[in-house]
Amino acid sequence: MLIVFGVTANFLLVFLLNIAGLPGALLAGKRGKSSKGRFIFGSIISALGQSYVYLAFIAFIVNWTTIAGKRNDVVGFLLWPFAFLTVLIPIWLTLGRAKGEAREQGSVNAQVEGLSFTLIVALIGFFVFAFVPIVIRAAWGWVPYIK
């Protein structure tokens, strides 16, 4: 099931992260046509929106893995490496595609810059959510499977 979540996320997150990063991209304007400070501010806003959305996906995967790992017919500790890959691969592929697209267009935008930060947040967030799951309730209590 984790593979299904990962493949689905690989396609859906491209659109969701674009939408989440849009306010920052609009604030930043095009690099070179706006001030450096404005571009940095827009990149931060993009990163915050994208990180929140991606951390919701991580919360879902961590909660699903925790619940699935407690079943008697599942060896729980074997699920966690797959859960980590399910979380890491979609954001890594999305970042790679975004950087490639930016290279083709010859410009960098705030959303691409935000994705680099989101990748780091995803790595840290997975382990925080896995080892301190109560953190999930603070901002992602609406995510399914949270107990």
Side-chain angles (χ1 to χ4, degrees):
M1 196 62 163
L2 282 172
I3 293 171
V4 172
F5 292 147
V7 170
T8 304
N10 192 34
F11 294 106
L12 289 178
L13 286 170
V14 172
F15 302 108
L16 293 175
L17 293 178
N18 268 329
I19 292 168
L22 183 61
L26 293 173
L27 286 171
K30 288 196 174 202
R31 192 173 200 171
K33 292 186 179 180
S34 63
S35 70
K36 186 177 180 179
R38 183 176 168 190
F39 185 81
I40 291 170
F41 179 70
S43 296
I44 291 169
I45 297 299
S46 284
L48 291 173
Q50 292 166 344
S51 295
Y52 182 80
V53 169
Y54 205 74
L55 285 171
F57 170 66
I58 294 172
F60 175 78
I61 295 298
V62 166
N63 282 309
W64 185 90
T65 305
T66 301
I67 290 169
K70 290 180 182 176
R71 292 179 33 179
N72 292 332
D73 60 336
V74 175
V75 182
F77 72 91
L78 293 178
L79 287 177
W80 287 103
F82 291 105
F84 180 72
L85 291 175
T86 300
V87 163
L88 182 63
I89 290 173
I91 189 68
W92 185 65
L93 291 175
T94 301
L95 177 60
R97 278 189 233 120
K99 284 186 175 183
E101 197 174 295
R103 257 192 312 270
E104 287 175 9
Q105 295 176 353
S107 66
V108 178
N109 65 42
Q111 288 174 301
V112 175
E113 298 297 321
L115 280 174
S116 299
F117 179 76
T118 303
L119 175 64
I120 295 166
V121 169
L123 288 170
I124 295 168
F126 177 81
F127 291 106
V128 169
F129 288 177
F131 292 109
V132 190
I134 197 154
V135 172
I136 297 171
R137 290 188 205 153
W140 297 275
W142 53 271
V143 175
Y145 290 112
I146 294 189
K147 287 188 172 188

